[in-house]
Amino acid sequence: MKSSSSKTINLDKGRPLIFKFGGTSLQTAERIHKVVDIIAGFDQPLVVVISAVGGVTDLLVQANADSASLHSKRDKIQRLHLQLAKELGLAGTSLADYGTHLNETLADLSAEGSSRDGKTRDLILSTGERLSTQLVAQVLEARGVGCEYIDSRPLIRTDSNWQEARVDLATTEDLTRKALAPLIEKGVIPIVTGFLGSNEKGETTTIGRNGSDLTATLLGACLDAAEVWIWTDVDGIFTADPRYHSEARLLPEISFREAAEAAYFGAAVIHPYTLWPLVKTDVAVRIKNTLNPEQPGTLICSEPKRRGKILITTSIEGVSVITVGGYGMVGVPGIAARIFAAVREEETSVLMISQSSAEHNITFIIRDQEVPQTVASLQNALADWIERDHRIDRIRVVPDVAIITVVGENMRGRYGIAGKIFTALGRNKINVIAIAQGSSEYSISMVLKVEDMRRAVDAIHAELDEENGGI
Ligand code: ADP
Ligand code: ASP
Ligand code: MG
């Protein structure tokens, strides 16, 4: 590669490098040109994963929620892609070919518009990646780069858990190797749709919002990649979201465990399950900036060498606290099991749990949209203890809270971090509703009112900056 990063990053030339470009790297023709420059400038076997153009999946989600808007959304998406194709210099047969692909893909949107089952919603959601990936492939071809558009649906085998489908890694490995290894061998770059898969019947599925990150690491595991590079709009992973916290520092290296924990607790820079396919491999991930490709980015690997006293502060909004409480709960076996069985019944995912020492309360945090059905399920499952025995006298909901989590493996066994965090919050008069320490001992989470969130992250960040001095 021509950029300086290739000189500092040592890569095994015999193994392919997986690139993934997110929606933020595809928002304008200018950015897509940068993507194409990066791909064209590399002399290493490459496989490239492409997300939908920024904002397009959101439009498709809205179209799914409101069938009346389907046609206007389709027209908007069509105009946006045609405009990009022209601005990117496609013309003549190349533009006509793209127009045909556009119409054929968007036909899936119109034909299925009337019924709103999970299967139809996934087919509609899949159009974003199919349109952006073909566009990038055609622009590369026009530049004379040997590449091929690959629809990932036949390669990524999933179950039928629509919108959040789970991937069958063994079958995916088999299908992916058969389809992509011969291309890589010939020096052709596969340009692959992110986010999409299909079930046993060949029906289209999607693997969760932001899922293209996962597509990239799946391909990394299946093809024994040299590394997986996730290209986005920031220089790497920072000690806090750089959009809101100007004091945040860039982390040169972090561990898989830290990155996974940070992603789970809201560091939106990678999808929470991104690292799962790579855990048993030696394939590392690097977060890089499309707008600043010379920077080495953040390396995510199993044993970082240059780790300082790293702490990452993350936050999640749009969550509620549920408290189940009552004096009759003390010492009664099976209370927690009953509560969480009722929660599971609704397939609610619990983000955090904390129990008071006297066992009068069990508190847990779930997403806002899952509150009504979860509370109904709890009331139903615990009715005997509420009405007959009065063991439980309240199921309370506190909406509009946020979770702040501080993550860092070096926190384990270190004295005083929690003290510093709570001192900082106290000094800023920020009230903490609940606290939990991760079982791994390298994260501490706290719940507070959403309006205090940014201020709290700033306060914690400033207090811990000394800890971060070694970076
Ligand atoms: P893409 O479209 O490339 O997938 P995302 O929006 O999913 O981009 O992720 C990039 C964004 O993640 C950044 O713009 C940044 O604001 C946000 N982000 C949140 N927390 C962090 C963090 N700790 N470090 C870096 N970026 C973060
Ligand atoms: N386009 C999908 C989304 O916006 C997947 C992705 O971008 O990773 O969620
Ligand atoms: Mg993303």
Side-chain angles (χ1 to χ4, degrees):
M1 194 213 174
K2 289 153 196 153
S3 82
S4 63
S5 55
S6 67
K7 292 182 199 123
T8 48
I9 299 170
N10 237 339
L11 293 167
D12 178 347
K13 293 270 176 203
R15 295 160 80 182
L17 191 53
I18 316 292
F19 280 180
K20 174 261 172 177
F21 292 93
T24 55
S25 299
L26 303 159
Q27 244 153 355
T28 59
E30 200 191 339
R31 289 195 178 191
I32 298 177
H33 272 308
K34 289 196 192 304
V35 168
V36 168
D37 286 344
I38 290 169
I39 299 170
F42 239 83
D43 64 352
Q44 163 103 17
L46 288 183
V47 175
V48 178
V49 174
I50 300 288
S51 288
V53 169
V56 167
T57 307
D58 289 337
L59 285 176
L60 294 166
V61 168
Q62 289 160 20
N64 269 336
D66 164 28
S67 53
S69 75
L70 189 74
H71 291 285
S72 68
K73 297 284 182 323
R74 186 198 56 201
D75 292 347
K76 192 166 175 182
I77 291 170
Q78 181 159 34
R79 277 198 307 276
L80 187 145
H81 286 85
L82 263 186
Q83 176 75 16
L84 281 174
K86 288 179 190 156
E87 283 172 18
L88 285 162
L90 293 191
T93 47
S94 185
L95 185 61
D97 286 352
Y98 187 65
T100 309
H101 177 79
L102 192 58
N103 291 337
E104 278 171 10
T105 306
L106 289 176
D108 275 349
L109 227 132
S110 328
E112 305 282 348
S114 47
S115 66
R116 279 304 127 104
D117 54 0
K119 185 168 110 178
T120 309
R121 288 204 297 270
D122 267 348
L123 187 64
I124 289 177
L125 287 179
S126 77
T127 56
E129 268 66 14
R130 288 153 62 199
L131 294 177
S132 58
T133 307
Q134 173 76 13
L135 182 60
V136 172
Q138 282 198 223
V139 177
L140 280 164
E141 258 171 39
R143 286 260 302 248
V145 178
C147 66
E148 193 170 316
Y149 166 72
I150 304 285
D151 184 332
S152 62
R153 288 177 293 174
L155 311 188
I156 310 286
R157 173 61 57 80
T158 71
D159 63 10
S160 302
N161 187 27
W162 313 110
Q163 281 89 74
E164 298 273 349
R166 284 168 291 240
V167 176
D168 166 355
L169 190 54
T171 310
T172 298
E173 179 165 344
D174 203 35
L175 295 167
T176 303
R177 276 178 184 266
K178 282 201 185 102
L180 302 186
L183 291 177
I184 300 170
E185 196 98 325
K186 281 193 288 183
V188 172
I189 306 176
I191 312 293
V192 186
T193 55
F195 186 47
L196 319 182
S198 64
N199 64 12
E200 251 177 3
K201 293 191 207 152
E203 293 160 336
T204 301
T205 55
T206 60
I207 57 176
R209 292 303 307 270
N210 278 308
S212 301
D213 296 337
L214 180 56
T215 308
T217 50
L218 282 165
L219 296 186
C222 295
L223 298 169
D224 190 26
E227 281 187 6
V228 176
W229 290 13
I230 295 179
W231 294 87
T232 183
D233 65 345
V234 287
D235 278 346
I237 298 185
F238 285 75
T239 50
D241 188 340
R243 224 174 344 182
Y244 307 116
H245 306 282
S246 55
E247 303 301 311
R249 293 175 190 236
L250 180 65
L251 297 164
E253 291 189 17
I254 65 172
S255 71
F256 279 140
R257 291 174 291 266
E258 287 164 334
E261 194 96 345
Y264 178 77
F265 283 109
V269 66
I270 51 170
H271 178 282
Y273 304 129
T274 306
L275 302 162
W276 153 71
L278 300 179
V279 168
K280 293 201 175 116
T281 72
D282 66 346
V283 182
V285 176
R286 205 176 279 275
I287 312 295
K288 299 256 306 168
N289 190 348
T290 305
L291 309 172
N292 197 7
E294 305 299 312
Q295 292 300 318
T298 298
L299 181 71
I300 311 174
C301 58
S302 40
E303 293 302 334
K305 291 188 191 68
R306 289 189 296 152
R307 187 163 43 193
K309 298 168 180 172
I310 297 165
L311 296 163
I312 312 169
T313 311
T314 67
S315 47
I316 310 184
E317 297 177 61
V319 293
S320 296
V321 182
I322 313 275
T323 302
V324 180
Y327 287 102
M329 280 171 60
V330 181
V332 179
I335 287 254
R338 265 182 87 171
I339 290 173
F340 291 109
V343 172
R344 201 187 54 212
E345 191 91 326
E346 292 303 317
E347 298 192 4
T348 300
S349 79
V350 175
L351 300 168
M352 184 182 142
I353 301 174
S354 95
Q355 184 171 20
S356 76
S357 54
E359 289 185 57
H360 293 165
N361 287 318
I362 290 180
T363 297
F364 55 94
I365 318 295
I366 63 176
R367 296 194 189 280
D368 286 343
Q369 65 267 27
E370 294 180 317
V371 169
Q373 65 270 37
T374 306
V375 169
S377 172
L378 284 167
Q379 269 158 347
N380 188 29
L382 303 173
D384 52 345
W385 282 352
I386 299 171
E387 282 150 27
R388 196 190 59 213
D389 299 346
H390 305 292
R391 284 182 193 280
I392 294 175
D393 57 28
R394 59 189 172 269
I395 299 176
R396 205 175 59 214
V397 179
V398 181
D400 299 324
V401 300
I403 306 179
I404 292 188
T405 303
V406 181
V407 179
E409 279 195 58
N410 284 345
M411 250 160 78
R412 189 168 12 204
R414 271 246 306 297
Y415 184 70
I417 300 271
K420 285 190 173 182
I421 293 171
F422 296 111
T423 305
L425 295 178
R427 213 175 28 237
N428 286 278
K429 301 197 169 32
I430 295 168
N431 183 35
V432 177
I433 300 168
I435 301 166
Q437 178 161 32
S439 54
S440 52
E441 265 190 73
Y442 53 78
S443 74
I444 297 177
S445 295
M446 55 229 103
V447 178
L448 32 83
K449 291 302 271 180
V450 85
E451 61 263 27
D452 291 334
M453 183 178 77
R454 300 262 148 79
R455 222 158 46 86
V457 171
D458 278 337
I460 294 172
H461 199 271
E463 189 73 26
L464 298 179
D465 205 43
E466 197 188 316
E467 299 291 328
N468 279 331
I471 296 170

